[in-house]
């Protein structure tokens, strides 16, 4: 059961270089224009809090055991939910996060091979609410494209972090796990073909009617 709170929670997902950051600010602006009475909170994972950003710096740089990595991701998420996401949603705000739990399933599960059962347990712990429901995004944009295209885009503009240094086989597994989750929950996911130009992607996002 997914929690129903007064706010609206949107996550942007996809492999590194898919175009999430490119579109997220304009998308927030669009929602503000459409809903001037609603506050929009922009955030990201790992991160979103002071502690979360410190954990992010470690997670994106320091080598560590796979389970340690998953635990730190979920520790950062717990703090993020408690300090930022839940209070915002309780007070009716729109929260837009650059990544959320689907990324843990895709990267630590699909990519690194950590058991999905373990990740499910962590998800229940960290996103569980007193009424037994799970805090989940209302809507998730999955920017989907082949790893090779994403890698070419990234290499033009930035030095790779720990994840971005992984090979194409890793990113293919991450992508497949994202797609599997999208297929399993079509009501929450909106699949974006990220191989298209930014203009075409923007028209796609803009034409989507979101009932808050
Ligand atoms: N549709 C697109 N076509 C071509 N290049 C793109 C497209 N979307 C984003 N890019 C470029 O790819 C790079 C990675 O995009 P970014 O938004 O940072 O990806 P992400 O946040 O998903 O890792 C950036 O240089 C961006 O300008
Ligand atoms: Mg980004």
């Amino acid at each position: 059961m997914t929690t129903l709170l007064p706010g609206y929670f949107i996550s942007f997902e996809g492999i590194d270089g898919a175009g999430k950051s490119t579109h997220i600010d304009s998308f927030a602006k669009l929602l503000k224009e459409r809903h001037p009475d609603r506050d929009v909170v922009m955030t990201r994972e790992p991160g979103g809090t002071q502690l979360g950003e410190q954990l992010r710096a470690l997670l994106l740089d320091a080598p560590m055991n796979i389970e340690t990595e998953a635990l730190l991701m979920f520790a950062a998420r717990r703090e993020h939910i408690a300090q930022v996401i839940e209070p915002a949603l309780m007070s009716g705000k729109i929260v837009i996060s650059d990544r959320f739990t689907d990324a843990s399933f895709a990267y630590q599960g699909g990519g690194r091979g950590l058991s999905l059962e373990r990740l499910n347990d962590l998800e229940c712990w960290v996103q569980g609410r007193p009424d037994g429901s799970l805090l989940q995004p209302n809507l998730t944009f999955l920017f989907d494209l082949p790893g090779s295209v994403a890698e070419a885009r990234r290499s033009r503009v930035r030095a790779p972090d720990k994840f971005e240094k992984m090979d194409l086989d890793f990113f293919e597994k991450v992508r497949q796990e994202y797609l599997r989750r999208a297929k399993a929950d079509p009501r929450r996911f909106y699949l974006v073909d990220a191989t298209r130009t930014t203009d075409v992607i923007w028209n796609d996002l803009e034409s989507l009617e979101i009932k808050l």
Side-chain angles (χ1 to χ4, degrees):
M1 180 177 63
T2 302
T3 304
L4 283 176
L5 292 172
Y8 197 86
F9 183 16
I10 302 173
S11 59
F12 275 53
E13 295 284 0
I15 62 175
D16 295 86
K20 300 177 296 297
S21 303
T22 301
H23 295 92
I24 205 164
D25 289 341
S26 340
F27 188 74
K29 196 163 155 253
L30 176 76
L31 285 187
K32 273 182 202 155
E33 282 161 14
R34 282 191 190 161
H35 306 278
D37 54 321
R38 302 285 289 267
D39 282 336
V40 177
V41 175
M42 298 287 292
T43 188
R44 69 170 180 180
E45 288 209 347
T49 64
Q50 207 180 356
L51 176 65
E53 290 295 326
Q54 287 173 331
L55 291 172
R56 178 189 181 92
L58 279 172
L59 280 161
L60 298 193
D61 184 46
M64 62 184 76
N65 171 277
I66 304 170
E67 304 209 354
T68 310
E69 185 177 280
L71 288 164
L72 288 182
M73 287 285 182
F74 275 94
R77 179 162 302 129
R78 182 68 209 124
E79 195 67 13
H80 192 203
I81 290 171
Q83 279 196 35
V84 178
I85 300 177
E86 213 165 43
L89 294 175
M90 297 282 267
S91 64
K93 294 178 183 169
I94 300 169
V95 176
I96 305 179
S97 186
D98 192 331
R99 296 192 186 284
F100 192 61
T101 304
D102 296 305
S104 299
F105 280 90
Y107 280 76
Q108 280 70 49
R112 301 247 198 251
L114 184 63
S115 113
L116 298 183
E117 254 173 60
R118 277 279 161 85
L119 292 164
N120 270 322
D121 288 346
L122 288 172
E123 182 182 41
C124 287
W125 184 8
V126 165
Q127 288 153 250
R129 298 200 19 98
D131 62 0
S133 65
L134 271 191
L135 179 81
Q136 288 286 21
N138 299 91
L139 170 67
T140 297
F141 289 106
L142 175 55
F143 283 67
D144 177 61
L145 79 179
S148 54
V149 180
E151 186 182 48
R153 286 182 188 173
R154 291 195 311 267
S155 64
R156 278 199 287 273
V157 288
R158 63 191 189 225
D161 64 32
K162 188 179 91 183
F163 291 98
E164 294 174 345
K165 282 185 191 137
M166 298 298 290
D167 62 16
L168 283 180
D169 177 57
F170 173 83
F171 280 106
E172 199 45 44
K173 288 189 279 190
V174 174
R175 180 190 187 192
Q176 291 312 321
E177 179 57 20
Y178 266 134
L179 288 170
R180 196 189 64 75
R181 288 179 68 76
K183 213 169 160 191
D185 196 357
R187 279 161 52 99
R188 173 164 69 89
F189 278 89
Y190 186 80
L191 197 62
V192 178
D193 172 358
T195 61
R196 300 169 301 170
T197 64
T198 49
D199 285 353
V200 175
I201 291 173
W202 179 246
N203 289 340
D204 185 358
L205 298 186
E206 212 180 20
S207 65
L208 186 68
E209 221 186 289
I210 300 172
K211 290 196 185 73
L212 298 182

